[in-house]
């Protein structure tokens, strides 16, 4: 069978890639996609812990479901905000939205 | 190496490749397509984790709804017309941060002694999940639906804009 | 009405001061009558207090009256003792003498001032300040504890400042007021230190009698007590204008002349004498060096002031030097533990010195001139003033039977018995000089041909408000000295002469020292005769003497250059230190400290604000960096 470490390392790789995306990308939609990657990594972690270490209460699976739900809501809201930003200022790059500087 | 392990490596490779594509693609549409690949790979990982319900939800919600939503957003914000690089100036720092994070996390994972059985995944059936969700987790479940509704209304209000716009 | 009500004596002028301060401008005649009525009442009230003291006395054993109210009381942190400050009054023969002198002279001076200050733009304020002065001086005299005494002490100093600088539009007056205030303040600091020292090691009280009793039981270490009394003496030094703090008194003559008569002759300047007389038991318990210092300081003051009096040409300044001379004599007496002699001299000095000042004021009022070189021959036009001034002069010189003679004689007798022969001889020589310069003052002002016809034409005898106080003081200056005789004292209701009323350890009757009297009279009279020849007519003789001893006369005319030395010290030491401190304040405290820290904050804020780029990725990177830092730290800690 597959050791838990495999899943955890996979999760870490996905999370790192997501983090890289969030930090490196300029476009808001691309950043959002990277955030989704990070969320996926977290869910993998939850599920792996649930099925390997806590099969009786499997809280991790339930949490995974909630994360997916909330991620969906988040994507909806985030896209609305991105749309709004684009309509008002004709930009979709987050580093151009810098009105809140010093 | 068991065939399951071999399967895991294949799936993990596909997932990581998808994720890598998401964050490095030069074309935003390619990025979105790579995201679908990565999300489907994750769904497969859920299957390997013996959580077929989560895998199904993953395919439905992510592979379907979220991806479509993202593609719509790209279309509406005319992402393809954007000039200039897709990556910001802090890309080297991002790479460094990601590497350091990966290093620390992997170190932490491999150094940790997990209590209990760590080689065998226990199957959690859909029935069990349903029971738990509607008994133990009933309250969070309802709150999550409320949250979804609020997010829905919020998204509509935000996206619709003011009168006469 | 008795000793318990003695507090009324300062309270009445104090009340008058408050009323004048608030309502003065609205009162008829600006309220001068109120000030005079107040001090007059105080003067009258002295008599019942005196009568009470005499009633309760058994022979020459006087029971001092004391009454005190608690003013402040609190627990000292950690000391486990209660700290008390009282407002209390203490009446004994010394107090009575001071009370009589202060109230009487203040009354005379204020009556005189009605005429003298008439038409002044701050007429009302003058009487207000005079009332405050009277109240403060009486408080000082009556105080039963050192703190109240100190309060009165500072208040009279403040009044002195106000009144010297009364005509503050005149730059010299403002400067003189400042000089007087600062110079006396140097002494006052010493006084305060002395008071604190006595309290610190003492019986946790400021009460003078308790402190003396404590000291008599050997409560203080001798060295410590010596230091404490010398600090007290520093206060007396400043207030009474003794060398080396005498420089302010001649300049203080910038004030109105009645002020000089009251404050700078009869009352405030003798506060130092009063203080030492009051604390004399402590001086005696201390190391003998303490009294020796008092003596030597007095002696130096006598000599320098007498010689400086020879060179001054301003009438008031000459009288001021004679005041220093007299005060020096009082300290010489105190230095010989002779309270009786000192207080007697203080008593009669108040009369003849106030008389001299008021006489000089009369001349100044009539001629608007106070330089002797522009006066002369006034006796013909101002007979009463001239006659009274003559009495004052002779009393100051000490010609029998005027009051000054008796007092001076006491001092001389005491020094001859108690001190080294040199002290006695120096005093005798000072008598001769006193005779000289006082004669010069009188001759140059009142006799022979007028030097300035215009000034002479202005001169006229003044009105009753000026001449009556002169006549009263003239009478007192003539007969005041007779209180030394037992018969006179008994006739007045006392147990005997002055020596049986004011004394430190035991009463003593009057003794006439023929040899002392003859010697002093010959010397003083010689001074008068010699002075007459020197300065008669056009003073040709004096001029030739001055030319022959040019260096000495220059030295005297420049007041031994003491003022210049002080000015030099102030310019170079005080101002130098001031410049250094100012530099420190400007550069270190202000520029580096205050502005520096502000600049650090400003620069930090200004530079750091650019961290707020407003760009989301930068914030995200910062968050990640923080998390990574934490995770690395955690990992290191775990592994």
């Amino acid at each position: 069978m597959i050791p838990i470490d495999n899943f955890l390392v996979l999760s870490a790789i996905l999370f790192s890639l997501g983090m890289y995306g969030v930090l490196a990308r300029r476009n808001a939609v691309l950043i959002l996609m990277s955030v989704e990657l990070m969320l996926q990594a977290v869910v993998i972690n939850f599920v792996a812990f649930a099925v390997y270490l806590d099969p009786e209460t499997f809280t991790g699976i339930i949490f995974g479901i909630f994360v997916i739900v909330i991620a969906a809501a988040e994507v909806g809201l985030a896209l609305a905000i991105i749309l709004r930003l684009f309509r008002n200022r004709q930009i979709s790059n987050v580093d151009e939205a810098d009105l809140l500087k010093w | 190496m068991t065939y399951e392990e071999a399967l895991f490596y294949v799936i993990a490779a596909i997932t990581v490749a998808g994720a890598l594509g998401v964050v490095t693609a030069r074309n935003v549409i390619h990025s979105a397509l790579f995201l679908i690949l990565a999300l489907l790979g994750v769904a497969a990982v859920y299957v390997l984790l013996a959580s077929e319900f989560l895998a199904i939800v993953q395919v439905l919600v992510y592979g379907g709804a979220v991806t479509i939503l993202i593609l719509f957003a790209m279309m509406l914000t005319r992402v393809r017309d954007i000039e200039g690089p897709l990556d910001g100036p802090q890309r080297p720092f991002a790479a460094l941060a990601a590497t350091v994070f990966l290093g620390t996390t992997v170190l932490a994972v491999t150094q940790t002694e997990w209590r209990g059985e760590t080689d065998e995944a226990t199957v959690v059936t859909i029935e069990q999940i349903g029971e738990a969700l509607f008994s133990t987790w009933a309250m969070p479940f309802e709150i999550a639906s409320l949250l979804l509704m609020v997010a829905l209304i919020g998204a509509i209000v935000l996206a619709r804009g003011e009168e006469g716009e | 009405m008795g000793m318990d009500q003695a507090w009324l004596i300062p309270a009445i002028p104090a009340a008058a001061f408050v009323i004048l301060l608030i309502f003065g401008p609205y009162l008829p005649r600006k309220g001068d009558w109120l000030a005079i009525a107040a001090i007059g009442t105080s003067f009258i009230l002295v008599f019942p207090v005196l009568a009470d003291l005499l009633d309760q006395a058994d022979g020459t054993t006087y029971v001092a009256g004391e009454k005190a109210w608690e003013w402040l009381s609190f627990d000292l942190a950690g000391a486990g003792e209660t700290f008390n400050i009282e407002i209390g009054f203490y009446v004994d023969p010394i107090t009575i003498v001071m009370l009589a002198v202060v109230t009487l002279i203040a009354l005379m001076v204020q009556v005189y001032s009605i005429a003298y200050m008439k038409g002044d733009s701050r007429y009302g304020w003058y009487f207000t300040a005079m009332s405050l002065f009277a109240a403060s001086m009486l408080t000082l005299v009556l105080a039963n504890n050192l703190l109240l005494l100190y309060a009165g002490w500072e208040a009279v100093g403040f009044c002195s400042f106000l009144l010297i600088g009364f005509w503050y539009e005149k730059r010299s007056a403002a400067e003189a007021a400042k000089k007087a205030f600062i110079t006396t303040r140097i002494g006052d600091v010493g006084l305060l230190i002395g008071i604190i020292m006595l309290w610190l090691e003492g019986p946790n009280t400021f009460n003078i009698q308790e402190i003396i009793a404590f000291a008599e039981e050997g409560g203080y270490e001798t060295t410590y007590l010596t230091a404490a009394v010398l600090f007290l003496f520093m206060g007396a030094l400043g207030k009474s204008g003794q060398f080396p703090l005498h420089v302010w008194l001649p300049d203080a003559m910038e004030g109105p002349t009645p002020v000089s008569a009251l404050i700078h002759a009869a009352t405030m300047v003798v506060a130092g004498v009063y203080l030492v007389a009051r604390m004399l038991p402590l001086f005696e318990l201390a190391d003998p060096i303490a009294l020796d210092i008092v003596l030597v300081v007095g002696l130096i003051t006598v000599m320098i002031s007498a010689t400086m009096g020879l060179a001054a040409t301003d009438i008031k300044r000459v009288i001021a030097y004679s005041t220093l001379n007299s005060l020096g004599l009082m300290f010489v007496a105190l230095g010989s533990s002779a309270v009786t002699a000192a207080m007697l001299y203080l008593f009669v000095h108040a009369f003849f010195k106030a008389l001299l000042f008021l006489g000089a004021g009369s001349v100044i009022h009539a001629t608007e001139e106070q330089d002797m070189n522009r006066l002369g021959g006034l006796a013909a036009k101002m007979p009463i003033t001239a006659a009274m001034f003559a009495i004052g002069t002779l009393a100051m010189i000490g010609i029998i039977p005027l009051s000054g003679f008796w007092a001076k004689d006491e001092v001389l007798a005491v020094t001859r018995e108690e001190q080294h022969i040199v002290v006695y001889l120096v005093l005798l020589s000072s008598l001769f000089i006193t005779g000289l310069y006082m004669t010069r003052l009188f001759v140059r002002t009142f006799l022979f041909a007028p030097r300035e016809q215009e000034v002479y034409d202005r001169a006229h005898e003044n009105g009753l408000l000026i001449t009556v106080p002169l006549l009263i003081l003239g009478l007192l200056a003539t007969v005041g000295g007779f209180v030394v005789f037992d018969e006179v004292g008994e006739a007045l209701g006392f147990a005997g002469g002055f020596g049986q009323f004011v004394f430190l350890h035991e009463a003593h009757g009057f003794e006439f020292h023929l040899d002392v009297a003859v010697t002093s009279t010959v010397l003083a009279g010689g001074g008068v005769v010699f002075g007459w020849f020197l300065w008669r007519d056009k003073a040709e003789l004096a001029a030739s003497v001055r030319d022959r001893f040019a260096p000495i006369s220059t030295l005297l005319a420049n007041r031994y250059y003491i003022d210049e030395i002080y000015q030099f010290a102030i310019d170079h030491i005080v101002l130098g230190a001031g410049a250094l401190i100012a530099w420190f304040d400007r550069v270190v405290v202000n520029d580096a400290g205050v502005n520096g820290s502000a600049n650090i904050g400003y620069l930090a804020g200004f530079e750091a604000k650019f961290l707020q780029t407003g760009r989301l990725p930068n914030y995200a990177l910062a968050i990640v960096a923080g998390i990574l830092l934490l995770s690395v730290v955690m990992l290191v800690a775990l592994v």
Side-chain angles (χ1 to χ4, degrees), chain B residues 46-127:
Chain B
Y46 291 152
V47 175
L48 283 183
L49 279 167
S51 309
E52 61 273 22
F53 173 68
L54 218 51
I56 293 163
V57 170
Q58 171 81 359
V59 172
L60 284 176
V61 175
Y62 272 102
V66 171
T67 318
I68 300 296
L69 211 52
I70 284 172
L71 284 171
F72 259 107
M74 285 178 174
M75 185 184 79
L76 288 172
T77 57
R78 289 193 280 266
V79 192
R80 298 185 69 177
D81 300 344
I82 293 171
E83 292 174 7
L86 286 173
D87 290 344
Q90 62 179 19
R91 199 166 68 128
F93 299 108
L96 180 69
T99 314
V100 172
F101 181 83
L102 184 63
T104 55
T105 317
V106 170
L107 197 65
V109 165
T110 50
Q111 292 290 312
T112 309
E113 286 290 321
W114 304 108
R115 62 180 166 78
E117 181 58 52
T118 54
D119 281 352
E120 185 67 60
T122 314
V123 177
V124 180
T125 62
I126 298 177
E127 194 182 351

Side-chain angles (χ1 to χ4, degrees), chain C residues 134-220:
Chain C
S136 317
M137 187 69 206
L138 292 167
T139 309
L140 190 167
V141 168
L142 275 167
N144 81 330
N145 67 70
L146 286 169
L147 272 192
L148 189 60
L149 183 143
Y150 186 73
W153 187 274
E154 292 296 344
V156 290
F158 174 62
C159 294
S160 162
F161 168 77
L162 286 181
L163 288 165
I164 295 171
F166 185 75
W167 289 312
Y168 52 75
E169 296 90 345
K170 215 164 67 178
R171 184 167 174 79
S172 58
E175 296 281 341
K178 222 162 56 183
K179 185 172 177 179
F181 196 65
I182 294 169
T183 314
T184 51
R185 172 51 43 103
I186 293 169
D188 293 352
V189 171
L191 175 59
L192 187 58
I193 293 172
I195 291 173
I196 292 170
M197 281 178 80
L198 287 177
W199 172 78
L200 211 58
E201 295 287 313
N204 189 29
T205 176
F206 289 103
N207 188 297
I208 296 169
Q209 302 309 318
E210 285 178 39
I211 286 176
I212 290 174
F214 182 76
E216 276 166 352
E217 288 162 13
Y220 296 103

Side-chain angles (χ1 to χ4, degrees), chain A residues 9 16 25-26 30 32 42 58 73-74 93-94:
Chain A
V9 171
S16 303
R25 294 296 203 182
R26 295 171 69 211
L30 288 174
L32 197 62
V42 170
F58 50 87
E74 173 239 327
N93 285 346
V94 287

